[in-house]
């Protein structure tokens, strides 16, 4: 039996029971609404983790074609690549089509759609294409009222080897919704705006097999997702300090943490130095601007129990500095040289991506499994 | 011949001639001062890159024991691991000693020194230990005036299988020094403070074989490094926007960039969407607070020519948003759908670590080599 205490630090720890509980919460939500759940696997990018929250052949969402290949090789055959396609990725897409993977790509412009029609003759199979709709004025997507939407859908529908699949939207603005009311309102807006696009296509005689929306906050919102066929969400599986900061979960629900060792002190400053810097924790400071600024992460003991008020205040590449919000001196027993701690991530997707593998625990004392993950594009 | 234009984006590009010029600048600086250069290989973590700026058997600095193993396997035998040691790394250290690697570790507390003396009997060879001195009140290290410094050095010297090697310091505060005068002053302080520690040990009859200082700005400072045996620096090999922002280099000296494709637009906002988000660029925003905030990176054309005023203003995992500082509309030719661009990194160490390999170019048109790198601990 490998103990957490015997691992080389820094290491990335997954609390399996928390992961299962988080997965169940979203699965039950979708079941209640009778909606397809298409988890975004970009947070952990791990087949073993996905067995818990998106067991094959679940439809999945990916953020890179490397993820598409990795999950396809394990039997996932309904894959939405949710980043606007660029021309230099056609060869990689073709390889997936040759392997009979049901891949859906997205475009949000006539230029993107035309580029696909130009390469369509070379495709080794039928490529599903969805159009991204902008529902919150935040990032990508076509305005649901834009007339080009119908033109794009028609062009895609009329092109051999392309299959117009429907619409997708992502209300990233929900990450700034702190109250339940605000989250529900944003989820409602996400649905309403994509339905404007659905209606405009319907008027032109074009139907949408897929009407896909989601972000973790809007997927969990307390609304009925009228007119929607499926929900997408990713970070719900582990949650993180950003999600806890918008009151979507408790800090104790966070399933991912970074195991670290105390390597020194600066006593006059009340600092504890640890061997987890930004290379382990990531540079994400997503809680700056939230009510509770968690710096680079909140501090727990080795068993995952929160040490209230302690957070990672600074990071360099391999050094982290732990301090107390009130400037308290570190407790000698907990923070002695060589002691091990666990840091809850600000943004789980960013922190998880700093590691090649996860050490899984069921009892917060020992390692029950090691899960692999992938990187790259 | 592989063209840059045929690569799958995002990809990490190294401009070999810039890397060589940056390497030469530091080598000449050390040669002029007759100082040993111990490059920090943590920026690129690549054997092929190190052949240019730290060819074996150059002494090197590493930030992880994984780097120590990787470089040791290629013939590097004088390796300083410049992060305070933690007890759970002793086994990995022992493996290096068994392979006859000349490894130096650091401690900055009596607790750390005692932990080493406790494991010393189990060591498979002689372990060199340096003491870290705090010269700028920024991070780790013992106060050069502290009496425990002598006690620690004596304990290390008196322990079988441990070899007290000397002192090291890192003036990380130099990253906030914008003028030449401020950088020179900080470099002077780095030298003076470590020399206080050297003198205090000398008084107790303990000599230092190694007196090691450095950070890229202080190593390049216009001072004579009195009493110092070696300089350490890392990011000078590639430079980045943070270093250009403190006037240590020109933006045109930056040897690393991220190749990306235009995947969409939000015309009303003047936004260009690219397929390089924080997964490719990292979340580092190190120029916030500098005179010129470069966001997540400055934008060049595919050949590496800066497009003045264009920068990456926002990132999500796989999406970046390019905007102009004056809110200008994107030029249609340069930023058309599918166009390729290169982004200069805010912090080269963070950006480089997001990639498994580098694509090297000599002419900014074609790929002359692929270099590998390592990750992890």
């Amino acid at each position: 039996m490998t103990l957490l205490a015997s691992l080389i630090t820094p290491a990335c720890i997954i609390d399996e029971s928390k992961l299962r509980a988080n997965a169940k919460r979203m699965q039950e939500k979708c079941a209640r609404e009778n909606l397809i759940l298409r988890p975004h696997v970009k947070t952990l990018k791990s087949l073993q983790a996905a067995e818990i929250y998106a067991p094959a052949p679940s439809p999945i969402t990916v953020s890179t074609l490397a993820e598409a290949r990795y999950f396809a090789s394990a039997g996932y055959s309904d894959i939405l690549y949710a980043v606007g396609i660029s021309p230099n990725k056609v060869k990689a897409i073709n390889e997936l089509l040759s392997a009979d993977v049901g891949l859906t790509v997205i475009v949000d412009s006539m230029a993107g759609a035309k580029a696909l029609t130009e390469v369509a003759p070379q495709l080794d199979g039928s490529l599903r294409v969805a159009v991204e709709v902008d529902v919150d004025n935040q990032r990508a997507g076509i305005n649901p009222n834009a007339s080009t939407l119908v033109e794009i859908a028609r062009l895609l529908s009329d092109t051999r080897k392309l299959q117009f699949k429907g619409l997708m939207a992502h209300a990233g603005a929900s990450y700034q919704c702190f109250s339940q009311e605000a989250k529900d309102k944003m989820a409602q807006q996400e649905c309403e705006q994509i339905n404007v696009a659905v209606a405009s296509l319907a008027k032109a005689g074009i139907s949408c097999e897929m009407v896909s929306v989601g972000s973790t906050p809007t997927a969990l919102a307390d609304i009925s997702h009228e007119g929607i066929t499926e929900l997408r969400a990713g970070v719900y599986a582990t949650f993180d300090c950003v999600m806890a900061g918008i009151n979507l979960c408790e800090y104790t629900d966070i399933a991912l943490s970074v195991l670290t060792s105390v390597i020194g002190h600066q006593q006059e400053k009340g600092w504890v130095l640890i061997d987890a810097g930004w290379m382990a924790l990531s540079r994400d400071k997503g809680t700056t601007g939230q009510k509770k600024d968690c710096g680079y992460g909140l501090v727990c003991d080795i068993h995952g129990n929160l040490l209230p008020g302690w957070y990672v205040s600074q990071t360099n590449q391999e050094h982290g500095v732990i301090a107390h919000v009130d400037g308290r001196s570190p407790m000698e027993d907990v923070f002695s040289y060589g002691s091990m701690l666990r840091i809850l991530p600000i943004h789980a997707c960013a922190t998880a991506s700093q590691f090649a593998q996860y050490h899984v625990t069921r009892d917060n004392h020992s390692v029950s499994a090691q899960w692999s993950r992938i990187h790259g594009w």
Side-chain angles (χ1 to χ4, degrees), chain A residues 33-314:
Chain A
E33 288 206 58
N34 204 18
L35 287 173
I36 296 167
L37 172 60
R38 183 188 289 279
H40 205 317
V41 294
K42 72 172 182 140
T43 302
L44 295 175
K45 301 195 186 192
S46 164
L47 286 174
Q48 296 102 317
E51 274 174 33
I52 290 176
Y53 67 93
S58 169
I60 56 170
T61 315
V62 298
S63 67
T64 66
L65 290 173
E67 284 165 65
R69 288 189 291 272
Y70 171 74
F71 281 91
S73 72
Y76 292 83
S77 58
D78 178 2
I79 301 178
L80 171 65
Y81 172 44
V83 179
I85 192 70
S86 68
N88 59 30
K89 298 195 179 78
V90 170
K91 198 179 153 210
I93 286 170
N94 225 358
E95 281 166 17
L96 287 160
L97 295 182
S98 307
D100 272 334
V101 177
L103 182 71
T104 305
V105 300
I106 61 171
V107 293
D108 72 348
S109 65
M110 184 51 90
K114 278 188 179 156
L116 281 179
T117 61
E118 278 161 29
V119 298
Q122 281 86 54
L123 293 177
D124 287 331
S126 171
L127 178 62
R128 307 167 188 174
V129 188
V131 177
E132 182 168 8
V133 175
D134 183 12
V135 294
D136 60 352
N137 209 21
Q138 285 277 303
R139 190 172 73 189
I142 193 164
N143 186 310
N145 298 296
S147 58
T148 40
L149 175 67
V150 175
E151 294 162 31
I152 292 170
R154 190 165 284 144
L155 177 64
L156 295 170
S157 302
D158 289 350
T159 305
R160 225 186 116 252
K161 294 197 190 170
L162 299 185
Q163 182 192 337
F164 173 68
K165 173 92 173 168
L167 301 172
M168 67 84 77
H170 167 65
S174 64
Y175 286 50
Q176 277 89 51
C177 294
F178 294 87
S179 68
Q180 187 60 47
E181 197 191 346
K183 285 187 269 281
D184 293 349
K185 209 176 144 189
M186 183 54 65
Q188 202 64 53
Q189 176 181 325
E190 189 179 44
C191 289
E192 282 168 10
Q193 290 296 302
I194 202 168
N195 278 315
V196 166
V198 171
S200 138
L201 291 175
K203 221 198 267 177
I206 302 167
S207 64
C208 295
E209 182 189 332
M210 179 175 97
V211 183
S212 175
V213 296
S215 69
T216 287
T218 56
L220 288 172
D222 201 14
I223 67 157
S224 68
H225 288 85
E226 213 63 51
I228 302 302
T229 63
E230 62 173 43
L231 293 180
R232 301 188 323 282
V235 78
Y236 72 93
T238 59
F239 284 123
D240 54 26
C241 291
V242 167
M243 289 295 114
I246 62 166
N247 308 302
L248 199 61
C249 65
E250 303 295 328
Y251 292 100
T252 48
D253 293 328
I254 300 174
L256 187 132
S257 58
V258 173
L259 187 71
T260 182
S261 298
V262 174
I263 57 169
H265 298 86
Q266 292 291 11
Q267 255 133 5
E268 322 74 59
K269 301 191 188 101
W271 287 0
V272 178
L273 290 154
I274 55 171
D275 65 357
W278 59 252
M279 188 62 90
L281 300 172
S282 96
R283 264 290 191 211
D284 205 296
K285 295 206 70 183
T287 61
T288 308
Q290 286 192 349
K291 201 168 154 192
K292 177 170 176 168
D293 183 349
C294 302
Y296 291 96
L298 295 184
V299 182
C300 302
D301 68 16
I302 188 173
H303 305 305
N305 305 301
L306 262 170
L307 300 170
W310 296 97
Y311 73 114
V312 181
S313 60
Q314 297 175 48

